[in-house]
Amino acid sequence: MDYKKINPLVRWGASILLLFWTVCSVYPLLFSVFQSLKDNQQVYSGKAWDLPNLPLLWSNFSYTWDKYHFGTYFLNSIVVTGGSMLLALFLTATTAYVLARYTFKGSGILYYLYISSLTIPSLMLIVPMFFLFSALHVSNSFTGIILLYSITAVPMGMFILMGFFKSLPHELEESAVIDGASLYGVFFKIMLPLATPGLVTISIVNVLQFWNEYQYALVLLSDAIKYTLPIGLGVMQGEMQYRIEFGPLFAGLLISTVPVLIIYVLFQKQINDGIVAGAVK
Amino acid sequence: MTAKRTRTLFIASFILPTLILYCIFTLYPILRALYISLFDWSGSSENMDYVGLGNFREMFADPIIYKAIGNDYFLVFWKVIGIMLLATFFAVALTRFKMRGAQFYRVVFFFPNVLSIVVIAVLWRFIYNPSFGLLNGILSFVLQRKVEIPWLGDSDYSIWALLPPAIWAGIGFFMILLIAAIKSIPLPLYESAEIDGATQWKQFVHITLPLIWEQVRVSVVLIVISSLNGSFAIVNVMTEGGPDNSTQVLGYYLYQMGFKQYHMGYASAIGVLILIVSLLTTVILQRLMKREVVEVS
């Protein structure tokens, strides 16, 4: 359809709505940056939505980082997210590979078992999980949370990766086996490298999810030095019910957000592919 | 070692780590949740009192449960309407209207989707702040008088106030899904429609919509499932179910019962209820939205 042939009224309406939504999407983030550089006086004097006065209070960031322990939370989030990402990658790739390229007793059942767990609301598992963690002596431990996060990411990731593995030609395996490669050699030296785009996609999508995870971390990490960023930010806001320190609060918000924004901007194509592959079942 | 044995060992070594973890961290907790829901249990004592379906009977008599289900459906209903209307419109505008900067809009509209729910809640609490929030600021400007509505603190508005953040944070994801669907529609279909003089609206109704219906259906189901499960987080950070249970939802009530009042049995029963509600809703919606699948030859 030629751009010119569209009813100008529709075109103008669409442009205005698109611009409006651009403002809605970006402004809150910009505003958080402004807010994180102000002191409370500027907020309360009716200038909450203006640009920050000079000098900019960069000290809000170091204050939040030290006094509100965001340094610790940040490190915790990196450990939890990084660990879960690596483990999830391993679990997902091995399972997806075998289910995509081998047929064996129970392979069909296994596939449906994993896929059907996508419809289970994770919230109903929160009570048993709490007691399971203490029974396994992993309450308040990153080990427990990493195991849990990675297994929750398997069904969706497996779904995406199976497509990749299925599309690789069988001749590759056959010639490798003739050349004397073991089954593990075929997987690690040939199949895995060929599936790199898929591996990158699921890793990025998983990282965003692990970094932002809230409900399990809230219940299973009750020790303050083990909090991840979302929990730390939630607690910080809760403590400020009566006397809000806006600058530090928004500094904390940005510390939690900037890493995922960077990842998003760098990898938006892979995230896009992941959504499309994952949701079009 | 025979080839068959090698193959079996290989498969087992690849399947078992995941399967074992899956059994421990997914399968077992599901069964355990069903089991705990049959007991009256504080979580701390050794003895669990078996009450059979007692927790479920108690639920039928609990007015807060009805309030929570009502709120869950309220949120689901308006989220589906709001997200699907806007996401579809944006997807069509960015593909069929050939708007300039489509790539830019696509990237920007997804921004809110990468934020954690706590960040979204902190932002929107500030927007709703009665004395200097953005919303009251805009209203004051438009109405030319001081508006100081406590959006989250007034039970008339509080549940409505939970909607905009959810819609705001959900659009990008579904827009991308629908863009992909629209892009896979063969262009000749539109070209011949155009030769026949079909307007942009007619093309949307007769070509685009039928051919993306599968994705629309998937999207609606995803919104329902994620809403029943995810509204816990936003309620926890924004309103804690209040004021006066006006923003109570099943998810948050479960958390409150389990981890604030230590009724683990009752909390698990609410978990089972959430499962039933989400399965039922999904099945009913799938039925209602069933259409002949349009094949493009």
Side-chain angles (χ1 to χ4, degrees):
Chain A
M1 147 115 350
D2 188 351
Y3 176 68
K4 299 264 164 46
K5 279 196 205 143
I6 295 173
N7 184 335
L9 214 62
V10 174
R11 219 168 59 205
W12 277 105
S15 300
I16 289 169
L17 198 53
L18 287 171
L19 282 177
F20 170 72
W21 201 257
T22 305
V23 174
C24 288
S25 305
V26 177
Y27 180 67
L29 288 172
L30 263 183
F31 150 80
S32 305
V33 176
F34 299 158
Q35 213 58 14
S36 68
L37 298 169
K38 293 179 184 176
D39 61 21
N40 265 6
Q41 219 185 336
Q42 289 179 56
V43 177
Y44 283 115
S45 59
K47 299 245 184 339
W49 303 91
D50 295 359
L51 287 172
N53 292 344
L54 295 171
L56 301 176
L57 282 178
W58 293 102
S59 60
N60 282 336
F61 282 87
S62 54
Y63 179 80
T64 301
W65 188 266
D66 297 330
K67 165 115 193 288
Y68 282 103
H69 316 296
F70 269 63
T72 313
Y73 304 155
F74 195 86
L75 200 66
N76 294 347
S77 276
I78 287 187
V79 170
V80 165
T81 305
S84 308
M85 185 204 84
L86 291 176
L87 185 59
L89 198 57
F90 173 76
L91 297 175
T92 312
T94 49
T95 303
Y97 176 67
V98 172
L99 288 181
R101 304 197 67 102
Y102 288 84
T103 326
F104 53 94
K105 222 177 178 177
S107 57
I109 297 173
L110 215 51
Y111 174 78
Y112 284 110
L113 187 66
Y114 289 142
I115 291 297
S116 62
S117 62
L118 285 171
T119 57
I120 302 287
S122 59
L123 209 51
M124 79 174 284
L125 307 185
I126 215 157
V127 168
M129 204 64 82
F130 179 78
F131 295 103
L132 178 65
F133 265 54
S134 62
L136 296 173
H137 302 287
V138 287
S139 307
N140 278 314
S141 94
F142 293 149
T143 318
I145 257 299
I146 287 171
L147 291 173
L148 170 59
Y149 281 6
S150 20
I151 198 69
T152 57
V154 166
M156 186 54 91
M158 183 192 84
F159 191 79
I160 297 171
L161 269 190
M162 277 178 73
F164 272 90
F165 283 128
K166 273 189 180 150
S167 67
L168 303 174
H170 272 285
E171 289 78 23
L172 284 171
E173 284 157 298
E174 283 155 18
S175 59
V177 171
I178 291 166
D179 291 345
S182 69
L183 295 177
Y184 294 98
V186 171
F187 175 72
F188 284 109
K189 293 208 186 94
I190 300 169
M191 293 306 193
L192 210 50
L194 285 173
T196 308
L199 299 176
V200 173
T201 295
I202 62 163
S203 301
I204 301 300
V205 174
N206 284 344
V207 162
L208 295 187
Q209 200 162 336
F210 298 152
W211 188 267
N212 289 334
E213 203 284 334
Y214 180 71
Q215 64 191 37
Y216 282 132
L218 178 73
V219 172
L220 301 171
L221 300 170
S222 54
D223 198 345
I225 60 164
K226 295 289 175 64
Y227 287 163
T228 54
L229 284 167
I231 310 304
L233 184 65
V235 168
M236 183 180 183
Q237 186 199 245
E239 283 173 0
M240 287 181 177
Q241 227 47 289
Y242 300 104
R243 204 192 147 276
I244 309 177
E245 293 182 273
F246 289 106
L249 179 66
F250 279 86
L253 183 147
L254 285 172
I255 293 171
S256 328
T257 303
V258 166
V260 278
L261 277 185
I262 293 174
I263 291 178
Y264 171 63
V265 171
L266 289 179
F267 294 100
Q268 36 105 358
K269 193 188 162 300
Q270 276 84 355
I271 295 168
N272 194 48
D273 293 350
I275 293 172
V276 172
V280 185
K281 298 177 202 168
Chain B
M1 212 159 29
T2 62
K4 189 161 187 292
R5 243 192 100 161
T6 318
R7 181 179 181 271
T8 311
L9 275 176
F10 171 74
I11 292 176
S13 69
F14 268 34
I15 287 293
L16 284 178
T18 308
L19 186 60
I20 292 169
L21 281 177
Y22 181 81
C23 289
I24 299 176
F25 288 104
T26 306
L27 219 48
Y28 169 75
I30 294 173
L31 299 176
R32 187 79 189 163
L34 296 173
Y35 178 77
I36 298 176
S37 72
L38 304 175
F39 290 84
D40 188 5
W41 184 40
S42 70
S44 54
S45 71
E46 283 292 313
N47 41 345
M48 302 164 69
D49 283 333
Y50 179 77
V51 291
L53 296 176
N55 284 321
F56 295 91
R57 271 196 293 276
E58 199 179 321
M59 261 172 10
F60 277 114
D62 185 348
I64 298 176
I65 289 281
Y66 293 99
K67 181 88 201 160
I69 294 181
N71 281 339
D72 267 318
Y73 274 116
F74 174 90
L75 290 174
V76 163
F77 178 79
W78 289 111
K79 264 190 228 178
V80 167
I81 302 272
I83 293 178
M84 290 319 287
L85 275 183
L86 283 168
T88 310
F89 179 80
F90 290 145
V92 171
L94 297 186
T95 51
R96 302 299 309 149
F97 292 5
K98 304 254 159 61
M99 305 297 287
R100 252 166 296 180
Q103 177 63 23
F104 167 82
Y105 289 121
R106 230 182 58 177
V107 174
V108 166
F109 289 4
F110 195 77
F111 265 163
N113 285 76
V114 302
L115 305 181
S116 94
I117 199 84
V118 184
V119 167
I120 293 165
V122 170
L123 271 174
W124 281 82
R125 274 184 70 115
F126 202 76
I127 290 173
Y128 288 134
N129 189 296
S131 38
F132 45 75
L134 180 65
L135 185 56
N136 282 344
I138 292 173
L139 285 177
S140 302
F141 178 76
V142 173
L143 302 172
Q144 288 298 310
R145 62 180 171 81
K146 190 99 179 114
V147 177
E148 290 201 336
I149 301 172
W151 295 100
L152 295 169
D154 184 324
S155 51
D156 288 342
Y157 305 113
S158 52
I159 189 75
W160 288 96
L162 294 183
L163 271 176
I167 294 174
W168 177 74
I171 298 245
F173 180 91
F174 294 101
M175 180 190 76
I176 285 180
L177 221 112
L178 295 178
I179 285 179
I182 295 174
K183 278 192 171 164
S184 69
I185 300 173
L187 282 177
L189 282 179
Y190 289 107
E191 283 155 12
S192 57
E194 217 161 300
I195 293 167
D196 295 342
T199 60
Q200 195 58 223
W201 175 249
K202 283 214 161 129
Q203 292 178 31
F204 171 72
V205 173
H206 297 294
I207 303 173
T208 312
L209 201 55
L211 288 173
I212 63 170
W213 193 251
E214 254 326 284
Q215 281 78 13
V216 170
R217 216 160 70 139
V218 170
S219 305
V220 171
V221 169
L222 284 178
I223 295 174
V224 172
I225 295 176
S226 68
S227 179
L228 287 171
N229 202 40
S231 49
F232 151 73
I234 197 118
V235 167
N236 187 27
V237 191
M238 283 183 81
T239 62
E240 300 198 334
D244 195 21
N245 284 317
S246 60
T247 55
Q248 189 64 268
V249 289
L250 287 176
Y252 185 71
Y253 196 42
L254 182 160
Y255 174 74
Q256 219 176 14
M257 279 295 145
F259 297 97
K260 299 208 161 153
Q261 307 195 12
Y262 304 104
H263 294 312
M264 293 298 176
Y266 199 58
S268 292
I270 299 174
V272 177
L273 180 67
I274 295 176
L275 178 69
I276 295 170
V277 168
S278 80
L279 288 180
L280 265 183
T281 314
T282 311
V283 170
I284 292 171
L285 271 174
Q286 294 274 27
R287 276 281 166 84
L288 284 179
M289 297 181 73
K290 203 160 188 89
R291 274 197 183 188
E292 291 283 302
V293 177
V294 187
E295 294 286 348
V296 183
S297 48

